[in-house]
Amino acid sequence: MEAKEAGSSLESIMLSFNTRISELQELIIARNMYPAGSVADLTAVDVAVKAMELQVQSIKDRLREETLALPKAKKLIEASLKQQKKLQEMAIHVPSHLTVKSMSSVPDSNYHLQSDSSKDDHSSFGSLKVEEEPVVMHKEKKGRGPPPLWYISGNELESLSSYMRGRLTLEKVNAAINDMAAYAESTAQLISAPKKKLPENMWEKALELRDIAMNEGVKGKHFFLESDIKGPSLKLDNTGKAILTVLRHLGRISETRVGHHRVIILSKPQ
């Protein structure tokens, strides 16, 4: 009986020993299949995945902020578009007598007419000033008045063909209209100014302008010469020539030739 029990215990020990050996063999096989270097690779992959997760999270946060800011941006855009439309409508309907024309924008030495005129007024006797000034004002009231400022609208500019419009903007064209009004005002002052109020080198030009003003197609109208175009906004470059073409097409100006001069006439609003 005791021998049988001892044999049974020995068999169980041997079975346990064989099982342990099998497990060790499987572990050795697994070790050979997955060397120790793969652990480092798995660690690097884990680090990369965590970094990508952080980047994705930051992108989500940024997208959330942009989404929350979109309604405010839309409101700002709508408000600025409304303001731009109001300003354009106001510019179109501004009365010509409210526009201040600066002589600093007039080219050539026409600018000296005003300064020389003021010097003569200060150096002359008071009685002469009283006698001369009403005469000039009287002529202006009975004459052509201030040059017309007939601005174009955005709709008019958009109605032009893309070839004619090119890269012109409403601001550039209307700034050129301001320049042309200043040129015409300077021409009118040269025509009406007495000889003693003009610089010596301007007298011949004043006489020439008076002859042009008596021409059939120019008489009674505001005009200036093409040679007066020297900025600040309107110049005789490609952009300036394109602006003149547009303004001729829209009826803001007309042109004629008197002698060797090209005369540009401003049209009045209809």
mmCIF file of all heavy atoms in Angstrom, residues 195-244:
data_model
loop_
_atom_site.group_PDB
_atom_site.id
_atom_site.type_symbol
_atom_site.label_atom_id
_atom_site.label_comp_id
_atom_site.label_asym_id
_atom_site.label_seq_id
_atom_site.Cartn_x
_atom_site.Cartn_y
_atom_site.Cartn_z
ATOM 1 N N LYS A 195 -3.479 141.652 -64.609
ATOM 2 C CA LYS A 195 -2.096 141.434 -64.996
ATOM 3 C C LYS A 195 -1.131 141.669 -63.841
ATOM 4 O O LYS A 195 -0.169 140.923 -63.656
ATOM 5 C CB LYS A 195 -1.734 142.361 -66.161
ATOM 6 C CG LYS A 195 -0.303 142.183 -66.648
ATOM 7 C CD LYS A 195 0.007 143.072 -67.823
ATOM 8 C CE LYS A 195 1.447 142.872 -68.296
ATOM 9 N NZ LYS A 195 1.779 143.725 -69.452
ATOM 10 N N LYS A 196 -1.390 142.712 -63.029
ATOM 11 C CA LYS A 196 -0.440 143.032 -61.958
ATOM 12 C C LYS A 196 -0.451 142.008 -60.821
ATOM 13 O O LYS A 196 0.445 142.007 -59.980
ATOM 14 C CB LYS A 196 -0.729 144.429 -61.402
ATOM 15 C CG LYS A 196 -2.078 144.572 -60.741
ATOM 16 C CD LYS A 196 -2.249 145.993 -60.238
ATOM 17 C CE LYS A 196 -3.591 146.197 -59.569
ATOM 18 N NZ LYS A 196 -3.735 147.590 -59.083
ATOM 19 N N LYS A 197 -1.457 141.143 -60.798
ATOM 20 C CA LYS A 197 -1.501 140.100 -59.769
ATOM 21 C C LYS A 197 -0.869 138.793 -60.246
ATOM 22 O O LYS A 197 -0.812 137.826 -59.494
ATOM 23 C CB LYS A 197 -2.941 139.844 -59.347
ATOM 24 C CG LYS A 197 -3.530 140.978 -58.530
ATOM 25 C CD LYS A 197 -4.832 140.544 -57.899
ATOM 26 C CE LYS A 197 -5.380 141.632 -56.981
ATOM 27 N NZ LYS A 197 -6.617 141.201 -56.289
ATOM 28 N N LEU A 198 -0.435 138.758 -61.475
ATOM 29 C CA LEU A 198 0.163 137.546 -62.018
ATOM 30 C C LEU A 198 1.682 137.655 -62.042
ATOM 31 O O LEU A 198 2.223 138.724 -62.314
ATOM 32 C CB LEU A 198 -0.334 137.302 -63.445
ATOM 33 C CG LEU A 198 -1.791 136.876 -63.599
ATOM 34 C CD1 LEU A 198 -2.157 136.859 -65.075
ATOM 35 C CD2 LEU A 198 -2.034 135.516 -62.982
ATOM 36 N N PRO A 199 2.380 136.558 -61.788
ATOM 37 C CA PRO A 199 3.832 136.551 -61.990
ATOM 38 C C PRO A 199 4.146 136.819 -63.466
ATOM 39 O O PRO A 199 3.341 136.505 -64.350
ATOM 40 C CB PRO A 199 4.255 135.135 -61.584
ATOM 41 C CG PRO A 199 3.135 134.609 -60.759
ATOM 42 C CD PRO A 199 1.896 135.271 -61.240
ATOM 43 N N GLU A 200 5.275 137.370 -63.704
ATOM 44 C CA GLU A 200 5.631 137.758 -65.076
ATOM 45 C C GLU A 200 5.623 136.573 -66.029
ATOM 46 O O GLU A 200 5.206 136.676 -67.180
ATOM 47 C CB GLU A 200 7.014 138.424 -65.060
ATOM 48 C CG GLU A 200 7.413 139.025 -66.406
ATOM 49 C CD GLU A 200 8.727 139.765 -66.323
ATOM 50 O OE1 GLU A 200 9.177 140.047 -65.189
ATOM 51 O OE2 GLU A 200 9.295 140.062 -67.376
ATOM 52 N N ASN A 201 6.055 135.418 -65.550
ATOM 53 C CA ASN A 201 6.136 134.254 -66.434
ATOM 54 C C ASN A 201 4.782 133.588 -66.665
ATOM 55 O O ASN A 201 4.674 132.649 -67.453
ATOM 56 C CB ASN A 201 7.111 133.215 -65.855
ATOM 57 C CG ASN A 201 6.647 132.699 -64.504
ATOM 58 O OD1 ASN A 201 5.896 133.368 -63.801
ATOM 59 N ND2 ASN A 201 7.103 131.526 -64.126
ATOM 60 N N MET A 202 3.732 134.049 -65.985
ATOM 61 C CA MET A 202 2.394 133.463 -66.144
ATOM 62 C C MET A 202 1.501 134.299 -67.057
ATOM 63 O O MET A 202 0.411 133.845 -67.424
ATOM 64 C CB MET A 202 1.727 133.306 -64.769
ATOM 65 C CG MET A 202 2.417 132.332 -63.848
ATOM 66 S SD MET A 202 2.498 130.659 -64.534
ATOM 67 C CE MET A 202 0.772 130.282 -64.644
ATOM 68 N N TRP A 203 1.908 135.505 -67.404
ATOM 69 C CA TRP A 203 1.038 136.401 -68.164
ATOM 70 C C TRP A 203 0.747 135.851 -69.561
ATOM 71 O O TRP A 203 -0.402 135.874 -70.019
ATOM 72 C CB TRP A 203 1.661 137.795 -68.252
ATOM 73 C CG TRP A 203 0.844 138.771 -69.067
ATOM 74 C CD1 TRP A 203 1.238 139.448 -70.166
ATOM 75 C CD2 TRP A 203 -0.498 139.167 -68.802
ATOM 76 N NE1 TRP A 203 0.226 140.242 -70.634
ATOM 77 C CE2 TRP A 203 -0.873 140.085 -69.797
ATOM 78 C CE3 TRP A 203 -1.437 138.835 -67.817
ATOM 79 C CZ2 TRP A 203 -2.107 140.689 -69.861
ATOM 80 C CZ3 TRP A 203 -2.682 139.421 -67.876
ATOM 81 C CH2 TRP A 203 -3.017 140.341 -68.878
ATOM 82 N N GLU A 204 1.762 135.321 -70.224
ATOM 83 C CA GLU A 204 1.549 134.772 -71.558
ATOM 84 C C GLU A 204 0.587 133.580 -71.520
ATOM 85 O O GLU A 204 -0.280 133.436 -72.387
ATOM 86 C CB GLU A 204 2.885 134.354 -72.169
ATOM 87 C CG GLU A 204 3.784 135.518 -72.551
ATOM 88 C CD GLU A 204 5.038 135.049 -73.262
ATOM 89 O OE1 GLU A 204 5.133 133.836 -73.550
ATOM 90 O OE2 GLU A 204 5.910 135.888 -73.526
ATOM 91 N N LYS A 205 0.731 132.730 -70.510
ATOM 92 C CA LYS A 205 -0.184 131.594 -70.399
ATOM 93 C C LYS A 205 -1.605 132.063 -70.121
ATOM 94 O O LYS A 205 -2.571 131.508 -70.652
ATOM 95 C CB LYS A 205 0.280 130.645 -69.288
ATOM 96 C CG LYS A 205 -0.598 129.399 -69.176
ATOM 97 C CD LYS A 205 -0.060 128.396 -68.173
ATOM 98 C CE LYS A 205 -0.956 127.162 -68.138
ATOM 99 N NZ LYS A 205 -0.470 126.138 -67.209
ATOM 100 N N ALA A 206 -1.737 133.117 -69.291
ATOM 101 C CA ALA A 206 -3.068 133.643 -69.011
ATOM 102 C C ALA A 206 -3.724 134.158 -70.287
ATOM 103 O O ALA A 206 -4.917 133.923 -70.526
ATOM 104 C CB ALA A 206 -2.975 134.746 -67.966
ATOM 105 N N LEU A 207 -2.971 134.864 -71.129
ATOM 106 C CA LEU A 207 -3.518 135.360 -72.395
ATOM 107 C C LEU A 207 -3.922 134.202 -73.306
ATOM 108 O O LEU A 207 -4.966 134.246 -73.969
ATOM 109 C CB LEU A 207 -2.483 136.245 -73.096
ATOM 110 C CG LEU A 207 -2.179 137.596 -72.437
ATOM 111 C CD1 LEU A 207 -1.060 138.307 -73.202
ATOM 112 C CD2 LEU A 207 -3.420 138.470 -72.371
ATOM 113 N N GLU A 208 -3.095 133.159 -73.326
ATOM 114 C CA GLU A 208 -3.401 131.991 -74.150
ATOM 115 C C GLU A 208 -4.676 131.302 -73.670
ATOM 116 O O GLU A 208 -5.529 130.893 -74.479
ATOM 117 C CB GLU A 208 -2.217 131.022 -74.110
ATOM 118 C CG GLU A 208 -2.262 129.955 -75.177
ATOM 119 C CD GLU A 208 -0.981 129.144 -75.210
ATOM 120 O OE1 GLU A 208 -0.242 129.135 -74.205
ATOM 121 O OE2 GLU A 208 -0.726 128.503 -76.246
ATOM 122 N N LEU A 209 -4.830 131.191 -72.346
ATOM 123 C CA LEU A 209 -6.036 130.568 -71.794
ATOM 124 C C LEU A 209 -7.274 131.413 -72.088
ATOM 125 O O LEU A 209 -8.369 130.869 -72.315
ATOM 126 C CB LEU A 209 -5.869 130.368 -70.284
ATOM 127 C CG LEU A 209 -4.874 129.284 -69.852
ATOM 128 C CD1 LEU A 209 -4.690 129.301 -68.337
ATOM 129 C CD2 LEU A 209 -5.344 127.895 -70.296
ATOM 130 N N ARG A 210 -7.137 132.740 -72.082
ATOM 131 C CA ARG A 210 -8.273 133.605 -72.402
ATOM 132 C C ARG A 210 -8.712 133.403 -73.848
ATOM 133 O O ARG A 210 -9.914 133.400 -74.148
ATOM 134 C CB ARG A 210 -7.896 135.064 -72.144
ATOM 135 C CG ARG A 210 -7.755 135.385 -70.669
ATOM 136 C CD ARG A 210 -7.312 136.825 -70.430
ATOM 137 N NE ARG A 210 -7.071 137.055 -69.011
ATOM 138 C CZ ARG A 210 -6.663 138.215 -68.507
ATOM 139 N NH1 ARG A 210 -6.438 139.252 -69.312
ATOM 140 N NH2 ARG A 210 -6.475 138.347 -67.206
ATOM 141 N N ASP A 211 -7.741 133.233 -74.739
ATOM 142 C CA ASP A 211 -8.088 132.961 -76.135
ATOM 143 C C ASP A 211 -8.816 131.620 -76.273
ATOM 144 O O ASP A 211 -9.794 131.503 -77.018
ATOM 145 C CB ASP A 211 -6.827 132.954 -77.006
ATOM 146 C CG ASP A 211 -6.209 134.343 -77.139
ATOM 147 O OD1 ASP A 211 -6.945 135.336 -76.924
ATOM 148 O OD2 ASP A 211 -4.997 134.425 -77.436
ATOM 149 N N ILE A 212 -8.330 130.617 -75.533
ATOM 150 C CA ILE A 212 -8.976 129.296 -75.587
ATOM 151 C C ILE A 212 -10.387 129.381 -75.018
ATOM 152 O O ILE A 212 -11.325 128.767 -75.543
ATOM 153 C CB ILE A 212 -8.139 128.266 -74.810
ATOM 154 C CG1 ILE A 212 -6.800 128.029 -75.517
ATOM 155 C CG2 ILE A 212 -8.884 126.941 -74.655
ATOM 156 C CD1 ILE A 212 -5.826 127.151 -74.745
ATOM 157 N N ALA A 213 -10.560 130.172 -73.933
ATOM 158 C CA ALA A 213 -11.873 130.282 -73.295
ATOM 159 C C ALA A 213 -12.901 130.922 -74.213
ATOM 160 O O ALA A 213 -14.117 130.713 -74.023
ATOM 161 C CB ALA A 213 -11.751 131.091 -71.999
ATOM 162 N N MET A 214 -12.476 131.686 -75.201
ATOM 163 C CA MET A 214 -13.407 132.332 -76.131
ATOM 164 C C MET A 214 -13.729 131.437 -77.319
ATOM 165 O O MET A 214 -14.561 131.797 -78.163
ATOM 166 C CB MET A 214 -12.793 133.651 -76.640
ATOM 167 C CG MET A 214 -12.570 134.680 -75.538
ATOM 168 S SD MET A 214 -14.083 135.055 -74.608
ATOM 169 C CE MET A 214 -15.075 135.807 -75.896
ATOM 170 N N ASN A 215 -13.117 130.264 -77.379
ATOM 171 C CA ASN A 215 -13.397 129.324 -78.457
ATOM 172 C C ASN A 215 -14.835 128.825 -78.362
ATOM 173 O O ASN A 215 -15.389 128.661 -77.274
ATOM 174 C CB ASN A 215 -12.402 128.161 -78.393
ATOM 175 C CG ASN A 215 -12.451 127.289 -79.619
ATOM 176 O OD1 ASN A 215 -13.273 126.389 -79.717
ATOM 177 N ND2 ASN A 215 -11.559 127.559 -80.556
ATOM 178 N N GLU A 216 -15.422 128.555 -79.508
ATOM 179 C CA GLU A 216 -16.846 128.200 -79.566
ATOM 180 C C GLU A 216 -17.193 126.985 -78.699
ATOM 181 O O GLU A 216 -18.177 126.971 -77.988
ATOM 182 C CB GLU A 216 -17.246 127.924 -81.024
ATOM 183 C CG GLU A 216 -18.728 127.665 -81.207
ATOM 184 C CD GLU A 216 -19.594 128.858 -80.831
ATOM 185 O OE1 GLU A 216 -19.121 130.011 -80.960
ATOM 186 O OE2 GLU A 216 -20.741 128.637 -80.402
ATOM 187 N N GLY A 217 -16.381 125.948 -78.734
ATOM 188 C CA GLY A 217 -16.709 124.742 -77.974
ATOM 189 C C GLY A 217 -16.338 124.801 -76.509
ATOM 190 O O GLY A 217 -16.687 123.908 -75.734
ATOM 191 N N VAL A 218 -15.632 125.863 -76.103
ATOM 192 C CA VAL A 218 -15.140 125.958 -74.727
ATOM 193 C C VAL A 218 -15.821 127.083 -73.958
ATOM 194 O O VAL A 218 -15.894 127.040 -72.724
ATOM 195 C CB VAL A 218 -13.601 126.173 -74.736
ATOM 196 C CG1 VAL A 218 -13.044 126.194 -73.321
ATOM 197 C CG2 VAL A 218 -12.919 125.083 -75.546
ATOM 198 N N LYS A 219 -16.331 128.081 -74.644
ATOM 199 C CA LYS A 219 -16.863 129.286 -74.022
ATOM 200 C C LYS A 219 -17.940 128.969 -72.980
ATOM 201 O O LYS A 219 -18.866 128.212 -73.231
ATOM 202 C CB LYS A 219 -17.447 130.209 -75.101
ATOM 203 C CG LYS A 219 -17.799 131.590 -74.593
ATOM 204 C CD LYS A 219 -18.233 132.471 -75.746
ATOM 205 C CE LYS A 219 -18.550 133.890 -75.265
ATOM 206 N NZ LYS A 219 -18.954 134.757 -76.402
ATOM 207 N N GLY A 220 -17.766 129.573 -71.786
ATOM 208 C CA GLY A 220 -18.734 129.392 -70.702
ATOM 209 C C GLY A 220 -18.608 128.096 -69.933
ATOM 210 O O GLY A 220 -19.457 127.798 -69.090
ATOM 211 N N LYS A 221 -17.560 127.329 -70.192
ATOM 212 C CA LYS A 221 -17.405 126.037 -69.528
ATOM 213 C C LYS A 221 -16.096 126.007 -68.737
ATOM 214 O O LYS A 221 -15.182 126.766 -69.000
ATOM 215 C CB LYS A 221 -17.406 124.903 -70.565
ATOM 216 C CG LYS A 221 -18.696 124.824 -71.365
ATOM 217 C CD LYS A 221 -18.610 123.752 -72.432
ATOM 218 C CE LYS A 221 -19.888 123.701 -73.264
ATOM 219 N NZ LYS A 221 -19.800 122.705 -74.344
ATOM 220 N N HIS A 222 -16.061 125.106 -67.777
ATOM 221 C CA HIS A 222 -14.836 124.907 -67.002
ATOM 222 C C HIS A 222 -13.937 123.945 -67.761
ATOM 223 O O HIS A 222 -14.383 122.882 -68.220
ATOM 224 C CB HIS A 222 -15.158 124.335 -65.623
ATOM 225 C CG HIS A 222 -15.773 125.334 -64.690
ATOM 226 N ND1 HIS A 222 -15.035 126.278 -64.027
ATOM 227 C CD2 HIS A 222 -17.057 125.536 -64.326
ATOM 228 C CE1 HIS A 222 -15.830 127.020 -63.278
ATOM 229 N NE2 HIS A 222 -17.055 126.594 -63.446
ATOM 230 N N PHE A 223 -12.669 124.279 -67.875
ATOM 231 C CA PHE A 223 -11.748 123.453 -68.644
ATOM 232 C C PHE A 223 -10.336 123.574 -68.078
ATOM 233 O O PHE A 223 -10.037 124.440 -67.253
ATOM 234 C CB PHE A 223 -11.750 123.881 -70.118
ATOM 235 C CG PHE A 223 -11.107 125.214 -70.362
ATOM 236 C CD1 PHE A 223 -9.767 125.319 -70.712
ATOM 237 C CD2 PHE A 223 -11.833 126.394 -70.222
ATOM 238 C CE1 PHE A 223 -9.168 126.549 -70.929
ATOM 239 C CE2 PHE A 223 -11.247 127.634 -70.433
ATOM 240 C CZ PHE A 223 -9.912 127.706 -70.792
ATOM 241 N N PHE A 224 -9.481 122.700 -68.566
ATOM 242 C CA PHE A 224 -8.044 122.775 -68.272
ATOM 243 C C PHE A 224 -7.307 122.108 -69.419
ATOM 244 O O PHE A 224 -7.929 121.436 -70.273
ATOM 245 C CB PHE A 224 -7.710 122.104 -66.930
ATOM 246 C CG PHE A 224 -8.043 120.645 -66.867
ATOM 247 C CD1 PHE A 224 -7.106 119.675 -67.197
ATOM 248 C CD2 PHE A 224 -9.305 120.232 -66.463
ATOM 249 C CE1 PHE A 224 -7.412 118.333 -67.133
ATOM 250 C CE2 PHE A 224 -9.621 118.884 -66.403
ATOM 251 C CZ PHE A 224 -8.679 117.931 -66.742
ATOM 252 N N LEU A 225 -6.007 122.300 -69.467
ATOM 253 C CA LEU A 225 -5.202 121.728 -70.532
ATOM 254 C C LEU A 225 -4.621 120.382 -70.099
ATOM 255 O O LEU A 225 -4.384 120.144 -68.910
ATOM 256 C CB LEU A 225 -4.064 122.677 -70.915
ATOM 257 C CG LEU A 225 -4.470 124.099 -71.296
ATOM 258 C CD1 LEU A 225 -3.225 124.913 -71.671
ATOM 259 C CD2 LEU A 225 -5.480 124.109 -72.426
ATOM 260 N N GLU A 226 -4.406 119.529 -71.078
ATOM 261 C CA GLU A 226 -3.820 118.224 -70.769
ATOM 262 C C GLU A 226 -2.445 118.376 -70.120
ATOM 263 O O GLU A 226 -2.051 117.578 -69.270
ATOM 264 C CB GLU A 226 -3.701 117.392 -72.046
ATOM 265 C CG GLU A 226 -3.222 115.963 -71.802
ATOM 266 C CD GLU A 226 -3.016 115.208 -73.092
ATOM 267 O OE1 GLU A 226 -2.351 115.750 -73.992
ATOM 268 O OE2 GLU A 226 -3.516 114.076 -73.204
ATOM 269 N N SER A 227 -1.742 119.427 -70.477
ATOM 270 C CA SER A 227 -0.409 119.656 -69.906
ATOM 271 C C SER A 227 -0.468 120.015 -68.426
ATOM 272 O O SER A 227 0.556 119.988 -67.736
ATOM 273 C CB SER A 227 0.305 120.777 -70.670
ATOM 274 O OG SER A 227 -0.468 121.979 -70.638
ATOM 275 N N ASP A 228 -1.654 120.347 -67.898
ATOM 276 C CA ASP A 228 -1.803 120.658 -66.469
ATOM 277 C C ASP A 228 -1.856 119.400 -65.609
ATOM 278 O O ASP A 228 -1.764 119.482 -64.384
ATOM 279 C CB ASP A 228 -3.078 121.470 -66.229
ATOM 280 C CG ASP A 228 -2.999 122.863 -66.830
ATOM 281 O OD1 ASP A 228 -1.873 123.383 -66.927
ATOM 282 O OD2 ASP A 228 -4.051 123.418 -67.190
ATOM 283 N N ILE A 229 -2.051 118.250 -66.230
ATOM 284 C CA ILE A 229 -2.231 117.005 -65.470
ATOM 285 C C ILE A 229 -0.881 116.539 -64.932
ATOM 286 O O ILE A 229 -0.049 115.993 -65.663
ATOM 287 C CB ILE A 229 -2.859 115.915 -66.357
ATOM 288 C CG1 ILE A 229 -4.230 116.365 -66.862
ATOM 289 C CG2 ILE A 229 -2.983 114.599 -65.581
ATOM 290 C CD1 ILE A 229 -4.880 115.376 -67.809
ATOM 291 N N LYS A 230 -0.687 116.761 -63.641
ATOM 292 C CA LYS A 230 0.571 116.348 -63.005
ATOM 293 C C LYS A 230 0.354 115.887 -61.568
ATOM 294 O O LYS A 230 1.220 116.051 -60.723
ATOM 295 C CB LYS A 230 1.577 117.500 -63.049
ATOM 296 C CG LYS A 230 2.031 117.853 -64.456
ATOM 297 C CD LYS A 230 3.044 118.967 -64.463
ATOM 298 C CE LYS A 230 3.476 119.319 -65.880
ATOM 299 N NZ LYS A 230 4.429 120.450 -65.917
ATOM 300 N N GLY A 231 -0.815 115.345 -61.260
ATOM 301 C CA GLY A 231 -1.047 114.796 -59.919
ATOM 302 C C GLY A 231 -1.833 115.734 -59.037
ATOM 303 O O GLY A 231 -2.327 116.754 -59.512
ATOM 304 N N PRO A 232 -1.980 115.378 -57.775
ATOM 305 C CA PRO A 232 -1.328 114.214 -57.130
ATOM 306 C C PRO A 232 -1.961 112.861 -57.451
ATOM 307 O O PRO A 232 -1.287 111.841 -57.431
ATOM 308 C CB PRO A 232 -1.473 114.521 -55.638
ATOM 309 C CG PRO A 232 -2.690 115.367 -55.553
ATOM 310 C CD PRO A 232 -2.735 116.193 -56.807
ATOM 311 N N SER A 233 -3.267 112.843 -57.767
ATOM 312 C CA SER A 233 -3.923 111.559 -58.034
ATOM 313 C C SER A 233 -3.955 111.223 -59.517
ATOM 314 O O SER A 233 -3.776 110.074 -59.903
ATOM 315 C CB SER A 233 -5.355 111.586 -57.483
ATOM 316 O OG SER A 233 -5.352 111.758 -56.086
ATOM 317 N N LEU A 234 -4.197 112.229 -60.353
ATOM 318 C CA LEU A 234 -4.287 112.013 -61.793
ATOM 319 C C LEU A 234 -2.963 112.370 -62.455
ATOM 320 O O LEU A 234 -2.473 113.488 -62.318
ATOM 321 C CB LEU A 234 -5.421 112.866 -62.381
ATOM 322 C CG LEU A 234 -5.658 112.737 -63.888
ATOM 323 C CD1 LEU A 234 -6.053 111.308 -64.248
ATOM 324 C CD2 LEU A 234 -6.721 113.721 -64.351
ATOM 325 N N LYS A 235 -2.408 111.421 -63.184
ATOM 326 C CA LYS A 235 -1.155 111.640 -63.893
ATOM 327 C C LYS A 235 -1.280 111.065 -65.306
ATOM 328 O O LYS A 235 -2.142 110.225 -65.570
ATOM 329 C CB LYS A 235 0.010 110.970 -63.153
ATOM 330 C CG LYS A 235 0.226 111.503 -61.744
ATOM 331 C CD LYS A 235 1.358 110.776 -61.041
ATOM 332 C CE LYS A 235 1.547 111.279 -59.621
ATOM 333 N NZ LYS A 235 2.619 110.549 -58.909
ATOM 334 N N LEU A 236 -0.411 111.505 -66.194
ATOM 335 C CA LEU A 236 -0.462 111.029 -67.578
ATOM 336 C C LEU A 236 0.314 109.720 -67.732
ATOM 337 O O LEU A 236 1.210 109.603 -68.570
ATOM 338 C CB LEU A 236 0.090 112.107 -68.517
ATOM 339 C CG LEU A 236 -0.872 113.256 -68.819
ATOM 340 C CD1 LEU A 236 -0.205 114.288 -69.706
ATOM 341 C CD2 LEU A 236 -2.159 112.755 -69.458
ATOM 342 N N ASP A 237 -0.029 108.742 -66.910
ATOM 343 C CA ASP A 237 0.529 107.405 -67.058
ATOM 344 C C ASP A 237 -0.587 106.484 -67.557
ATOM 345 O O ASP A 237 -1.660 106.950 -67.943
ATOM 346 C CB ASP A 237 1.109 106.910 -65.731
ATOM 347 C CG ASP A 237 0.116 107.035 -64.582
ATOM 348 O OD1 ASP A 237 -1.080 107.291 -64.851
ATOM 349 O OD2 ASP A 237 0.517 106.875 -63.416
ATOM 350 N N ASN A 238 -0.345 105.194 -67.558
ATOM 351 C CA ASN A 238 -1.358 104.261 -68.067
ATOM 352 C C ASN A 238 -2.640 104.315 -67.254
ATOM 353 O O ASN A 238 -3.741 104.283 -67.804
ATOM 354 C CB ASN A 238 -0.794 102.832 -68.057
ATOM 355 C CG ASN A 238 0.303 102.649 -69.084
ATOM 356 O OD1 ASN A 238 0.348 103.368 -70.085
ATOM 357 N ND2 ASN A 238 1.209 101.708 -68.854
ATOM 358 N N THR A 239 -2.497 104.435 -65.919
ATOM 359 C CA THR A 239 -3.688 104.522 -65.068
ATOM 360 C C THR A 239 -4.448 105.806 -65.341
ATOM 361 O O THR A 239 -5.684 105.797 -65.454
ATOM 362 C CB THR A 239 -3.277 104.457 -63.589
ATOM 363 O OG1 THR A 239 -2.588 103.226 -63.341
ATOM 364 C CG2 THR A 239 -4.503 104.529 -62.691
ATOM 365 N N GLY A 240 -3.731 106.932 -65.468
ATOM 366 C CA GLY A 240 -4.385 108.205 -65.736
ATOM 367 C C GLY A 240 -5.120 108.197 -67.073
ATOM 368 O O GLY A 240 -6.243 108.716 -67.187
ATOM 369 N N LYS A 241 -4.501 107.610 -68.100
ATOM 370 C CA LYS A 241 -5.162 107.536 -69.401
ATOM 371 C C LYS A 241 -6.407 106.657 -69.339
ATOM 372 O O LYS A 241 -7.425 106.954 -69.980
ATOM 373 C CB LYS A 241 -4.174 107.002 -70.442
ATOM 374 C CG LYS A 241 -3.042 107.976 -70.739
ATOM 375 C CD LYS A 241 -2.018 107.365 -71.685
ATOM 376 C CE LYS A 241 -0.873 108.340 -71.951
ATOM 377 N NZ LYS A 241 0.172 107.757 -72.825
ATOM 378 N N ALA A 242 -6.342 105.577 -68.556
ATOM 379 C CA ALA A 242 -7.518 104.711 -68.397
ATOM 380 C C ALA A 242 -8.645 105.465 -67.687
ATOM 381 O O ALA A 242 -9.822 105.327 -68.042
ATOM 382 C CB ALA A 242 -7.141 103.454 -67.612
ATOM 383 N N ILE A 243 -8.293 106.278 -66.682
ATOM 384 C CA ILE A 243 -9.297 107.072 -65.973
ATOM 385 C C ILE A 243 -9.961 108.076 -66.919
ATOM 386 O O ILE A 243 -11.192 108.246 -66.923
ATOM 387 C CB ILE A 243 -8.665 107.793 -64.771
ATOM 388 C CG1 ILE A 243 -8.288 106.785 -63.678
ATOM 389 C CG2 ILE A 243 -9.615 108.846 -64.190
ATOM 390 C CD1 ILE A 243 -7.508 107.382 -62.524
ATOM 391 N N LEU A 244 -9.175 108.742 -67.750
ATOM 392 C CA LEU A 244 -9.737 109.697 -68.717
ATOM 393 C C LEU A 244 -10.675 108.993 -69.689
ATOM 394 O O LEU A 244 -11.736 109.528 -70.039
ATOM 395 C CB LEU A 244 -8.605 110.402 -69.465
ATOM 396 C CG LEU A 244 -7.727 111.353 -68.644
ATOM 397 C CD1 LEU A 244 -6.588 111.884 -69.495
ATOM 398 C CD2 LEU A 244 -8.551 112.514 -68.090
#
